[in-house]
Amino acid sequence: MRRQLSVCVFVCAAAITGIAQAPPQWGVDPLWPQPLPNHWILGSVTGVAVDAGDRVWVAHRGLASLLTRTENGLDATPKGAEYCCASAPHILAFEADGRLAANWGGPGPGYDWPRNIGGIAVDATGHVWITAQGLPPAPPARTGAAAATTPPPPEDAHVLKFTREGKFVMQIGKAGAPGDATSKVGLLKPAAIDVDSAANEAYVADTGNHRIVVFDATSGAYKRHWVASGSTPFKAVACVSVSRAGEVYVCDRDNNRIQVFKKDGTFVREAIVSASTRGAGSVWDIAFSNDAGQQHVFVANGTEQTVHVLRRETLAEVGRIGTGGRWPGHFYAVGSVAVDSKGHVVTGEALQGKRVQKFVVR
Amino acid sequence: MITRPKIVAGVFVLGLVSLITAERLIQRASAADQATATVEAPRFEVDPAFPKPLPNGMLMGMAIGVAVDAENHIWVVHRPDTLSAAEAAADENPPTAACCRRAPPILQFDQQGNLISAWGGPGEGYEWPQSNHGIFVDHKGIVWIGGNGTNDAHVLTFTQEGKFIAQYGASGKTGGSNDTVNFGRVAKIFVDPKANEAYLADGYLNKRVVVLDADTGAFKRYWGAYGNKPDDTNLDPYNPDLPPVQQFRTPVHCSDLSVDGLLYVCDRPNNRIQVFTREGKFVKETFIAKRTLGDGAVWDVAFSKDPQQKYLYVADGKNERVYILNRDTLEIVSAFGDGGRQPGQFFAVHSIVTDSAGNIFTTETYEGRRLQKFTFKGVTQVPRDQGVVWPIKK
């Protein structure tokens, strides 16, 4: 029996804005996706994307985000557990019905696997793009036996393109060789990527350089870049998403701000989302609704533990999905969002959330 | 003389017979496989809609105790202080987000999953634990809690409304496993309604079971593993290839009494359950997932609700599953659950209890931080490993 919970994961549009035109309502499907095989568990989820076949692609941090003492004892040497658990591969895909459709990822010849994976995108040809987001500032150094004895791998400064089967295709940028804010070849801890398949261009949120960079999606050649409009620079650029109408939406996370540009970088408009949010900010990721006009924008807010539903034209809030907690339909650090062809909303939770969830149109 | 077509027909018929026979054999074999693959045991289904969301944007921290009272209400103790500033953002000054805030440490839910009361914390006349651990509601309706913080050497009792009743032992005064006044970081309490005695799993520091008079808190008796006098000498790390040690290894994590007067003690990092009489006479033991290291496999136990308590449920927060044991033989009959954050999956399933209908409730510590309900679906044929017990599609 597959149920949709009617717990308070919806907020009626009218309750917030009083406007007449309400967006659809969504209910969490608590039994999606299906349990993973091999006692695999997810690490912190850093990206979700939906492909043309409505498969949901997930990027998660795996081992780097799991505590082997308590979470993934099967990965310890010697094994600390008999039955459970082990880190799932970094890249997973789920069919619309929740079955696991693909699992791959990790170091290989010819490319630099990220120290810390970031965003994920799937283009119209089915290629899977990921970013090497880099680690957040290191916690205080451990002393004694636990202290690292080998130097850390090179810092993340690149994006990668694979086939849907996980075969390496292309790398832009190089680990350990970051570029600055004017570089045409280098990046610094890019957090997100989107591909404009019509123009065959890849848009990269070059987080460490506070800019958006556009590359040719086949050759990887630099095409253009731009920074924030106005006097306030981007602070933690967490997403870049190209709408059907050809506008580029940028998540300026820690500034609680969305800036919208034309594809050439010309500023169009901006909006503040959840102005009272402090801390890590309100705009962690963006997705567009599936209707022809993409009337709505979904904003994952990992600080407020909710997904804001905005009118795309006005960027005014008309509803919310979810609130804080660990039960189905709740969030901890919801940091990524995507929409499938049916209008269902898929979310990924970072930090200790470590989940993907699907919210079905009711 | 047999004509050629007849031979062909004969071979065909023979082949057909063989095929049918083979198919029957296969059918029989698969039936046999099925018979060995399934066992008779309780079946459960997770209820993904339980409990209802907490009101007022409240969050639960590490959930380190669960109990059921006479009215079938579910009681949870958790650690609000384990919620980070980023999670309990509304508790910051000024708030960094509208969501969320820390729920009080003691939460009471009704059978529908509504939160019906919430209380707890420091107050006049008692020492609230440094680190909450374990909850029990006894036959008189009294709420008992333990504590496993560094200084926690006591247990507390309250009314169901949160009014302080008594404190046994004093914070910071532990005298080790042979102290008859204070305890050593008590993990769990179980009150025997017949004898009106409280059994303390003592604990994270001490290596013993303690029995108190449930009305006065007076010390009655205590013992260590195998009924030995407890000895606080440091043990080397657990090694599955060495003979079992003669002492409990901290934490001693549960001590629950069955209807026939047998006490089941969770010797957590030793991966074993030891069974005693009420007086502390060792009866038997069993080992579970013996190669489990670190936190161990035996975190908590609960009894099935048939009159004989035929089954013993064991929560294993390291392997993320609940074992179903035949309580008499202590054999593992089946198991359910697996790791993860979705319904029916676990991260550090820490505590387990059954209600009067035989439903199981679990809580998760570390980053699990959930209460989950597993609805009892009767004793039936189930796989030995039931995996994640989602509701069966109809």
Side-chain angles (χ1 to χ4, degrees), chain A residues 1 33 39 69 71 80-84 278 304 326-327 352, chain B residues 87 96 98 289-291 293 319 338 341-342 347 367 371 392-393:
Chain A
M1 183 182 62
H39 307 289
R69 188 181 72 79
E71 284 189 279
E82 283 198 19
Y83 298 99
C84 192
R278 302 157 87 103
E304 296 282 354
R326 299 294 213 280
W327 286 293
Q352 289 293 343
Chain B
E87 265 196 289
T96 55
K290 205 176 170 179
R291 305 207 72 80
L293 304 178
N319 289 293
D338 206 350
R341 303 293 217 276
Q342 290 175 262
F347 179 12
E367 293 291 344
L371 164 68
I392 291 173
K393 287 178 190 175

PDB file of all heavy atoms in Angstrom, chain A residues 1 33 39 69 71 80-84 278 304 326-327 352, chain B residues 87 96 98 289-291 293 319 338 341-342 347 367 371 392-393:
ATOM      1  N   MET A   1       0.846  -1.185   0.000  1.00  0.00           N
ATOM      2  CA  MET A   1       0.000   0.000   0.000  1.00  0.00           C
ATOM      3  C   MET A   1       0.884   1.238   0.000  1.00  0.00           C
ATOM      4  O   MET A   1       1.707   1.438   0.875  1.00  0.00           O
ATOM      5  CB  MET A   1      -0.866  -0.013   1.259  1.00  0.00           C
ATOM      6  CG  MET A   1      -1.837   1.126   1.317  1.00  0.00           C
ATOM      7  SD  MET A   1      -2.787   1.091   2.850  1.00  0.00           S
ATOM      8  CE  MET A   1      -1.495   1.283   4.075  1.00  0.00           C
ATOM      9  N   PRO A  33      12.727   6.687  -2.287  1.00  0.00           N
ATOM     10  CA  PRO A  33      12.941   5.553  -3.202  1.00  0.00           C
ATOM     11  C   PRO A  33      12.931   4.234  -2.449  1.00  0.00           C
ATOM     12  O   PRO A  33      12.808   4.225  -1.228  1.00  0.00           O
ATOM     13  CB  PRO A  33      14.333   5.844  -3.761  1.00  0.00           C
ATOM     14  CG  PRO A  33      15.037   6.553  -2.644  1.00  0.00           C
ATOM     15  CD  PRO A  33      13.976   7.364  -1.961  1.00  0.00           C
ATOM     16  N   HIS A  39      23.027  -3.252   1.941  1.00  0.00           N
ATOM     17  CA  HIS A  39      23.120  -2.472   3.184  1.00  0.00           C
ATOM     18  C   HIS A  39      23.811  -1.139   2.948  1.00  0.00           C
ATOM     19  O   HIS A  39      24.490  -0.601   3.820  1.00  0.00           O
ATOM     20  CB  HIS A  39      23.845  -3.271   4.279  1.00  0.00           C
ATOM     21  CG  HIS A  39      23.247  -4.627   4.502  1.00  0.00           C
ATOM     22  ND1 HIS A  39      22.030  -4.810   5.087  1.00  0.00           N
ATOM     23  CD2 HIS A  39      23.710  -5.858   4.177  1.00  0.00           C
ATOM     24  CE1 HIS A  39      21.751  -6.100   5.129  1.00  0.00           C
ATOM     25  NE2 HIS A  39      22.745  -6.758   4.575  1.00  0.00           N
ATOM     26  N   ARG A  69      32.518   4.655  12.787  1.00  0.00           N
ATOM     27  CA  ARG A  69      32.297   4.058  14.094  1.00  0.00           C
ATOM     28  C   ARG A  69      30.816   3.746  14.335  1.00  0.00           C
ATOM     29  O   ARG A  69      30.472   2.751  14.952  1.00  0.00           O
ATOM     30  CB  ARG A  69      32.812   4.989  15.199  1.00  0.00           C
ATOM     31  CG  ARG A  69      32.789   4.375  16.583  1.00  0.00           C
ATOM     32  CD  ARG A  69      33.298   5.360  17.626  1.00  0.00           C
ATOM     33  NE  ARG A  69      32.357   6.430  17.891  1.00  0.00           N
ATOM     34  CZ  ARG A  69      31.276   6.323  18.675  1.00  0.00           C
ATOM     35  NH1 ARG A  69      31.004   5.177  19.279  1.00  0.00           N
ATOM     36  NH2 ARG A  69      30.477   7.342  18.870  1.00  0.00           N
ATOM     37  N   GLU A  71      28.089   4.564  11.719  1.00  0.00           N
ATOM     38  CA  GLU A  71      27.174   4.494  10.579  1.00  0.00           C
ATOM     39  C   GLU A  71      27.485   3.392   9.593  1.00  0.00           C
ATOM     40  O   GLU A  71      26.591   2.702   9.129  1.00  0.00           O
ATOM     41  CB  GLU A  71      27.193   5.828   9.797  1.00  0.00           C
ATOM     42  CG  GLU A  71      26.444   6.939  10.447  1.00  0.00           C
ATOM     43  CD  GLU A  71      26.322   8.139   9.535  1.00  0.00           C
ATOM     44  OE1 GLU A  71      27.276   8.922   9.445  1.00  0.00           O
ATOM     45  OE2 GLU A  71      25.259   8.298   8.913  1.00  0.00           O
ATOM     46  N   GLY A  80      33.500  -3.434  11.557  1.00  0.00           N
ATOM     47  CA  GLY A  80      32.980  -3.203  12.898  1.00  0.00           C
ATOM     48  C   GLY A  80      31.570  -3.709  13.087  1.00  0.00           C
ATOM     49  O   GLY A  80      31.038  -3.691  14.190  1.00  0.00           O
ATOM     50  N   ALA A  81      30.951  -4.143  11.984  1.00  0.00           N
ATOM     51  CA  ALA A  81      29.576  -4.626  12.056  1.00  0.00           C
ATOM     52  C   ALA A  81      29.453  -5.907  11.247  1.00  0.00           C
ATOM     53  O   ALA A  81      30.310  -6.202  10.399  1.00  0.00           O
ATOM     54  CB  ALA A  81      28.613  -3.571  11.520  1.00  0.00           C
ATOM     55  N   GLU A  82      28.401  -6.680  11.523  1.00  0.00           N
ATOM     56  CA  GLU A  82      28.204  -7.923  10.772  1.00  0.00           C
ATOM     57  C   GLU A  82      27.242  -7.753   9.610  1.00  0.00           C
ATOM     58  O   GLU A  82      27.362  -8.427   8.594  1.00  0.00           O
ATOM     59  CB  GLU A  82      27.673  -9.029  11.704  1.00  0.00           C
ATOM     60  CG  GLU A  82      28.751  -9.621  12.581  1.00  0.00           C
ATOM     61  CD  GLU A  82      28.361 -10.969  13.162  1.00  0.00           C
ATOM     62  OE1 GLU A  82      27.434 -11.623  12.634  1.00  0.00           O
ATOM     63  OE2 GLU A  82      28.982 -11.363  14.162  1.00  0.00           O
ATOM     64  N   TYR A  83      26.240  -6.881   9.789  1.00  0.00           N
ATOM     65  CA  TYR A  83      25.178  -6.801   8.777  1.00  0.00           C
ATOM     66  C   TYR A  83      25.127  -5.466   8.055  1.00  0.00           C
ATOM     67  O   TYR A  83      24.817  -5.391   6.880  1.00  0.00           O
ATOM     68  CB  TYR A  83      23.814  -7.044   9.430  1.00  0.00           C
ATOM     69  CG  TYR A  83      23.663  -8.408  10.050  1.00  0.00           C
ATOM     70  CD1 TYR A  83      23.832  -8.593  11.424  1.00  0.00           C
ATOM     71  CD2 TYR A  83      23.366  -9.512   9.263  1.00  0.00           C
ATOM     72  CE1 TYR A  83      23.693  -9.849  11.991  1.00  0.00           C
ATOM     73  CE2 TYR A  83      23.224 -10.773   9.819  1.00  0.00           C
ATOM     74  CZ  TYR A  83      23.385 -10.939  11.192  1.00  0.00           C
ATOM     75  OH  TYR A  83      23.252 -12.171  11.754  1.00  0.00           O
ATOM     76  N   CYS A  84      25.350  -4.392   8.771  1.00  0.00           N
ATOM     77  CA  CYS A  84      25.073  -3.072   8.216  1.00  0.00           C
ATOM     78  C   CYS A  84      26.012  -2.052   8.852  1.00  0.00           C
ATOM     79  O   CYS A  84      26.332  -2.199  10.023  1.00  0.00           O
ATOM     80  CB  CYS A  84      23.620  -2.684   8.504  1.00  0.00           C
ATOM     81  SG  CYS A  84      23.025  -1.239   7.611  1.00  0.00           S
ATOM     82  N   ARG A 278      19.209  33.835   8.703  1.00  0.00           N
ATOM     83  CA  ARG A 278      20.615  34.201   8.899  1.00  0.00           C
ATOM     84  C   ARG A 278      21.459  32.958   8.647  1.00  0.00           C
ATOM     85  O   ARG A 278      21.108  32.130   7.819  1.00  0.00           O
ATOM     86  CB  ARG A 278      20.801  34.736  10.316  1.00  0.00           C
ATOM     87  CG  ARG A 278      19.892  35.940  10.590  1.00  0.00           C
ATOM     88  CD  ARG A 278      19.647  36.124  12.064  1.00  0.00           C
ATOM     89  NE  ARG A 278      20.682  36.927  12.698  1.00  0.00           N
ATOM     90  CZ  ARG A 278      20.539  38.203  13.032  1.00  0.00           C
ATOM     91  NH1 ARG A 278      19.413  38.822  12.795  1.00  0.00           N
ATOM     92  NH2 ARG A 278      21.499  38.851  13.628  1.00  0.00           N
ATOM     93  N   GLU A 304      16.172  27.119   6.891  1.00  0.00           N
ATOM     94  CA  GLU A 304      14.805  27.110   7.424  1.00  0.00           C
ATOM     95  C   GLU A 304      14.160  25.723   7.342  1.00  0.00           C
ATOM     96  O   GLU A 304      13.026  25.540   7.802  1.00  0.00           O
ATOM     97  CB  GLU A 304      13.933  28.111   6.660  1.00  0.00           C
ATOM     98  CG  GLU A 304      14.355  29.559   6.793  1.00  0.00           C
ATOM     99  CD  GLU A 304      13.933  30.191   8.116  1.00  0.00           C
ATOM    100  OE1 GLU A 304      13.214  29.543   8.897  1.00  0.00           O
ATOM    101  OE2 GLU A 304      14.359  31.332   8.377  1.00  0.00           O
ATOM    102  N   ARG A 326      13.007  14.722  11.253  1.00  0.00           N
ATOM    103  CA  ARG A 326      13.595  13.525  10.661  1.00  0.00           C
ATOM    104  C   ARG A 326      12.553  12.563  10.081  1.00  0.00           C
ATOM    105  O   ARG A 326      12.900  11.529   9.547  1.00  0.00           O
ATOM    106  CB  ARG A 326      14.404  12.766  11.716  1.00  0.00           C
ATOM    107  CG  ARG A 326      15.561  13.527  12.317  1.00  0.00           C
ATOM    108  CD  ARG A 326      16.633  13.792  11.283  1.00  0.00           C
ATOM    109  NE  ARG A 326      17.967  13.785  11.849  1.00  0.00           N
ATOM    110  CZ  ARG A 326      18.522  14.799  12.500  1.00  0.00           C
ATOM    111  NH1 ARG A 326      17.867  15.910  12.690  1.00  0.00           N
ATOM    112  NH2 ARG A 326      19.755  14.690  12.957  1.00  0.00           N
ATOM    113  N   TRP A 327      11.270  12.889  10.227  1.00  0.00           N
ATOM    114  CA  TRP A 327      10.244  11.993   9.697  1.00  0.00           C
ATOM    115  C   TRP A 327       9.964  12.313   8.232  1.00  0.00           C
ATOM    116  O   TRP A 327      10.425  13.345   7.723  1.00  0.00           O
ATOM    117  CB  TRP A 327       8.985  12.109  10.566  1.00  0.00           C
ATOM    118  CG  TRP A 327       9.136  11.426  11.889  1.00  0.00           C
ATOM    119  CD1 TRP A 327       9.260  10.076  12.101  1.00  0.00           C
ATOM    120  CD2 TRP A 327       9.218  12.039  13.186  1.00  0.00           C
ATOM    121  NE1 TRP A 327       9.409   9.823  13.459  1.00  0.00           N
ATOM    122  CE2 TRP A 327       9.378  11.001  14.141  1.00  0.00           C
ATOM    123  CE3 TRP A 327       9.157  13.355  13.637  1.00  0.00           C
ATOM    124  CZ2 TRP A 327       9.488  11.247  15.509  1.00  0.00           C
ATOM    125  CZ3 TRP A 327       9.262  13.596  14.992  1.00  0.00           C
ATOM    126  CH2 TRP A 327       9.429  12.560  15.914  1.00  0.00           C
ATOM    127  N   GLN A 352      23.594  16.084   8.031  1.00  0.00           N
ATOM    128  CA  GLN A 352      23.124  14.825   8.613  1.00  0.00           C
ATOM    129  C   GLN A 352      21.741  14.406   8.110  1.00  0.00           C
ATOM    130  O   GLN A 352      21.168  13.452   8.609  1.00  0.00           O
ATOM    131  CB  GLN A 352      23.119  14.918  10.138  1.00  0.00           C
ATOM    132  CG  GLN A 352      24.500  14.943  10.749  1.00  0.00           C
ATOM    133  CD  GLN A 352      25.229  13.625  10.554  1.00  0.00           C
ATOM    134  OE1 GLN A 352      24.654  12.595  10.256  1.00  0.00           O
ATOM    135  NE2 GLN A 352      26.548  13.663  10.724  1.00  0.00           N
TER     136      GLN A 352
ATOM    137  N   GLU B  87      20.397  23.543  13.704  1.00  0.00           N
ATOM    138  CA  GLU B  87      19.113  22.836  13.665  1.00  0.00           C
ATOM    139  C   GLU B  87      18.070  23.518  14.529  1.00  0.00           C
ATOM    140  O   GLU B  87      16.911  23.650  14.149  1.00  0.00           O
ATOM    141  CB  GLU B  87      19.298  21.400  14.159  1.00  0.00           C
ATOM    142  CG  GLU B  87      19.527  20.407  13.068  1.00  0.00           C
ATOM    143  CD  GLU B  87      19.305  19.004  13.571  1.00  0.00           C
ATOM    144  OE1 GLU B  87      20.128  18.511  14.363  1.00  0.00           O
ATOM    145  OE2 GLU B  87      18.307  18.395  13.172  1.00  0.00           O
ATOM    146  N   THR B  96      18.257  32.428  14.056  1.00  0.00           N
ATOM    147  CA  THR B  96      18.851  32.456  12.716  1.00  0.00           C
ATOM    148  C   THR B  96      17.893  31.903  11.676  1.00  0.00           C
ATOM    149  O   THR B  96      18.153  31.984  10.486  1.00  0.00           O
ATOM    150  CB  THR B  96      20.168  31.653  12.692  1.00  0.00           C
ATOM    151  OG1 THR B  96      19.914  30.336  13.175  1.00  0.00           O
ATOM    152  CG2 THR B  96      21.216  32.303  13.568  1.00  0.00           C
ATOM    153  N   ALA B  98      13.330  30.624  11.415  1.00  0.00           N
ATOM    154  CA  ALA B  98      12.073  30.413  12.142  1.00  0.00           C
ATOM    155  C   ALA B  98      11.929  28.954  12.572  1.00  0.00           C
ATOM    156  O   ALA B  98      11.164  28.640  13.484  1.00  0.00           O
ATOM    157  CB  ALA B  98      10.902  30.827  11.270  1.00  0.00           C
ATOM    158  N   ALA B 289      25.415 -11.413  16.826  1.00  0.00           N
ATOM    159  CA  ALA B 289      26.333 -10.708  15.906  1.00  0.00           C
ATOM    160  C   ALA B 289      27.684 -10.506  16.593  1.00  0.00           C
ATOM    161  O   ALA B 289      28.160  -9.385  16.770  1.00  0.00           O
ATOM    162  CB  ALA B 289      25.739  -9.382  15.435  1.00  0.00           C
ATOM    163  N   LYS B 290      28.271 -11.638  16.931  1.00  0.00           N
ATOM    164  CA  LYS B 290      29.419 -11.659  17.823  1.00  0.00           C
ATOM    165  C   LYS B 290      30.635 -10.894  17.319  1.00  0.00           C
ATOM    166  O   LYS B 290      31.499 -10.497  18.097  1.00  0.00           O
ATOM    167  CB  LYS B 290      29.806 -13.131  18.045  1.00  0.00           C
ATOM    168  CG  LYS B 290      30.531 -13.393  19.323  1.00  0.00           C
ATOM    169  CD  LYS B 290      30.776 -14.877  19.505  1.00  0.00           C
ATOM    170  CE  LYS B 290      31.714 -15.075  20.681  1.00  0.00           C
ATOM    171  NZ  LYS B 290      31.981 -16.488  20.930  1.00  0.00           N
ATOM    172  N   ARG B 291      30.727 -10.704  16.009  1.00  0.00           N
ATOM    173  CA  ARG B 291      31.899 -10.016  15.475  1.00  0.00           C
ATOM    174  C   ARG B 291      31.690  -8.490  15.417  1.00  0.00           C
ATOM    175  O   ARG B 291      32.519  -7.765  14.859  1.00  0.00           O
ATOM    176  CB  ARG B 291      32.267 -10.574  14.102  1.00  0.00           C
ATOM    177  CG  ARG B 291      32.487 -12.081  14.120  1.00  0.00           C
ATOM    178  CD  ARG B 291      33.425 -12.559  13.056  1.00  0.00           C
ATOM    179  NE  ARG B 291      34.816 -12.197  13.326  1.00  0.00           N
ATOM    180  CZ  ARG B 291      35.639 -12.854  14.161  1.00  0.00           C
ATOM    181  NH1 ARG B 291      35.207 -13.913  14.813  1.00  0.00           N
ATOM    182  NH2 ARG B 291      36.869 -12.443  14.341  1.00  0.00           N
ATOM    183  N   LEU B 293      31.942  -4.856  16.582  1.00  0.00           N
ATOM    184  CA  LEU B 293      32.917  -4.158  17.435  1.00  0.00           C
ATOM    185  C   LEU B 293      32.356  -2.810  17.876  1.00  0.00           C
ATOM    186  O   LEU B 293      31.329  -2.356  17.391  1.00  0.00           O
ATOM    187  CB  LEU B 293      34.220  -3.949  16.657  1.00  0.00           C
ATOM    188  CG  LEU B 293      34.866  -5.221  16.077  1.00  0.00           C
ATOM    189  CD1 LEU B 293      36.120  -4.869  15.281  1.00  0.00           C
ATOM    190  CD2 LEU B 293      35.212  -6.209  17.193  1.00  0.00           C
ATOM    191  N   ASN B 319      24.203  -2.683  13.887  1.00  0.00           N
ATOM    192  CA  ASN B 319      23.857  -3.356  12.635  1.00  0.00           C
ATOM    193  C   ASN B 319      22.521  -2.886  12.069  1.00  0.00           C
ATOM    194  O   ASN B 319      22.086  -3.364  11.023  1.00  0.00           O
ATOM    195  CB  ASN B 319      23.850  -4.873  12.841  1.00  0.00           C
ATOM    196  CG  ASN B 319      25.259  -5.420  13.019  1.00  0.00           C
ATOM    197  OD1 ASN B 319      26.060  -5.401  12.090  1.00  0.00           O
ATOM    198  ND2 ASN B 319      25.583  -5.876  14.221  1.00  0.00           N
ATOM    199  N   ASP B 338      17.058  -2.220   8.465  1.00  0.00           N
ATOM    200  CA  ASP B 338      18.331  -2.045   7.777  1.00  0.00           C
ATOM    201  C   ASP B 338      18.727  -0.581   7.970  1.00  0.00           C
ATOM    202  O   ASP B 338      17.946   0.196   8.523  1.00  0.00           O
ATOM    203  CB  ASP B 338      18.180  -2.395   6.289  1.00  0.00           C
ATOM    204  CG  ASP B 338      19.497  -2.848   5.658  1.00  0.00           C
ATOM    205  OD1 ASP B 338      20.556  -2.714   6.298  1.00  0.00           O
ATOM    206  OD2 ASP B 338      19.469  -3.339   4.519  1.00  0.00           O
ATOM    207  N   ARG B 341      17.681   6.397   6.444  1.00  0.00           N
ATOM    208  CA  ARG B 341      16.888   7.458   7.065  1.00  0.00           C
ATOM    209  C   ARG B 341      15.416   7.394   6.669  1.00  0.00           C
ATOM    210  O   ARG B 341      14.646   8.272   7.036  1.00  0.00           O
ATOM    211  CB  ARG B 341      17.441   8.828   6.647  1.00  0.00           C
ATOM    212  CG  ARG B 341      18.905   9.054   6.971  1.00  0.00           C
ATOM    213  CD  ARG B 341      19.135   9.119   8.462  1.00  0.00           C
ATOM    214  NE  ARG B 341      20.137  10.092   8.843  1.00  0.00           N
ATOM    215  CZ  ARG B 341      21.452   9.881   8.842  1.00  0.00           C
ATOM    216  NH1 ARG B 341      21.931   8.724   8.480  1.00  0.00           N
ATOM    217  NH2 ARG B 341      22.279  10.824   9.233  1.00  0.00           N
ATOM    218  N   GLN B 342      15.036   6.379   5.900  1.00  0.00           N
ATOM    219  CA  GLN B 342      13.641   6.285   5.468  1.00  0.00           C
ATOM    220  C   GLN B 342      12.839   5.469   6.475  1.00  0.00           C
ATOM    221  O   GLN B 342      13.405   4.839   7.367  1.00  0.00           O
ATOM    222  CB  GLN B 342      13.582   5.655   4.080  1.00  0.00           C
ATOM    223  CG  GLN B 342      14.125   6.559   2.999  1.00  0.00           C
ATOM    224  CD  GLN B 342      14.158   5.851   1.661  1.00  0.00           C
ATOM    225  OE1 GLN B 342      15.183   5.339   1.244  1.00  0.00           O
ATOM    226  NE2 GLN B 342      13.013   5.801   1.011  1.00  0.00           N
ATOM    227  N   PHE B 347      19.068   4.496  11.984  1.00  0.00           N
ATOM    228  CA  PHE B 347      20.424   4.924  12.308  1.00  0.00           C
ATOM    229  C   PHE B 347      20.516   4.893  13.833  1.00  0.00           C
ATOM    230  O   PHE B 347      19.939   5.730  14.513  1.00  0.00           O
ATOM    231  CB  PHE B 347      20.716   6.311  11.764  1.00  0.00           C
ATOM    232  CG  PHE B 347      22.110   6.815  12.095  1.00  0.00           C
ATOM    233  CD1 PHE B 347      23.086   5.966  12.601  1.00  0.00           C
ATOM    234  CD2 PHE B 347      22.448   8.124  11.888  1.00  0.00           C
ATOM    235  CE1 PHE B 347      24.358   6.418  12.908  1.00  0.00           C
ATOM    236  CE2 PHE B 347      23.720   8.598  12.193  1.00  0.00           C
ATOM    237  CZ  PHE B 347      24.675   7.737  12.710  1.00  0.00           C
ATOM    238  N   GLU B 367      22.459  10.458  15.020  1.00  0.00           N
ATOM    239  CA  GLU B 367      21.741  11.350  14.104  1.00  0.00           C
ATOM    240  C   GLU B 367      20.419  10.750  13.617  1.00  0.00           C
ATOM    241  O   GLU B 367      19.783  11.286  12.702  1.00  0.00           O
ATOM    242  CB  GLU B 367      22.639  11.706  12.913  1.00  0.00           C
ATOM    243  CG  GLU B 367      23.839  12.555  13.294  1.00  0.00           C
ATOM    244  CD  GLU B 367      23.451  13.961  13.707  1.00  0.00           C
ATOM    245  OE1 GLU B 367      22.325  14.388  13.424  1.00  0.00           O
ATOM    246  OE2 GLU B 367      24.305  14.638  14.322  1.00  0.00           O
ATOM    247  N   LEU B 371      11.297   8.558  16.562  1.00  0.00           N
ATOM    248  CA  LEU B 371      10.453   7.521  17.147  1.00  0.00           C
ATOM    249  C   LEU B 371       9.776   6.844  15.969  1.00  0.00           C
ATOM    250  O   LEU B 371       9.278   7.530  15.082  1.00  0.00           O
ATOM    251  CB  LEU B 371       9.417   8.161  18.072  1.00  0.00           C
ATOM    252  CG  LEU B 371       8.216   7.306  18.496  1.00  0.00           C
ATOM    253  CD1 LEU B 371       8.641   6.159  19.405  1.00  0.00           C
ATOM    254  CD2 LEU B 371       7.166   8.182  19.207  1.00  0.00           C
ATOM    255  N   ILE B 392       2.802  -3.738   2.974  1.00  0.00           N
ATOM    256  CA  ILE B 392       2.655  -4.534   1.750  1.00  0.00           C
ATOM    257  C   ILE B 392       1.619  -3.869   0.860  1.00  0.00           C
ATOM    258  O   ILE B 392       0.540  -3.499   1.306  1.00  0.00           O
ATOM    259  CB  ILE B 392       2.242  -5.982   2.100  1.00  0.00           C
ATOM    260  CG1 ILE B 392       3.418  -6.685   2.788  1.00  0.00           C
ATOM    261  CG2 ILE B 392       1.795  -6.735   0.860  1.00  0.00           C
ATOM    262  CD1 ILE B 392       3.089  -8.052   3.321  1.00  0.00           C
ATOM    263  N   LYS B 393       1.979  -3.726  -0.423  1.00  0.00           N
ATOM    264  CA  LYS B 393       1.053  -3.092  -1.379  1.00  0.00           C
ATOM    265  C   LYS B 393      -0.159  -3.980  -1.574  1.00  0.00           C
ATOM    266  O   LYS B 393      -0.028  -5.190  -1.726  1.00  0.00           O
ATOM    267  CB  LYS B 393       1.750  -2.869  -2.714  1.00  0.00           C
ATOM    268  CG  LYS B 393       2.762  -1.754  -2.665  1.00  0.00           C
ATOM    269  CD  LYS B 393       3.473  -1.601  -3.998  1.00  0.00           C
ATOM    270  CE  LYS B 393       4.639  -0.638  -3.852  1.00  0.00           C
ATOM    271  NZ  LYS B 393       5.426  -0.532  -5.070  1.00  0.00           N
TER     272      LYS B 393
END
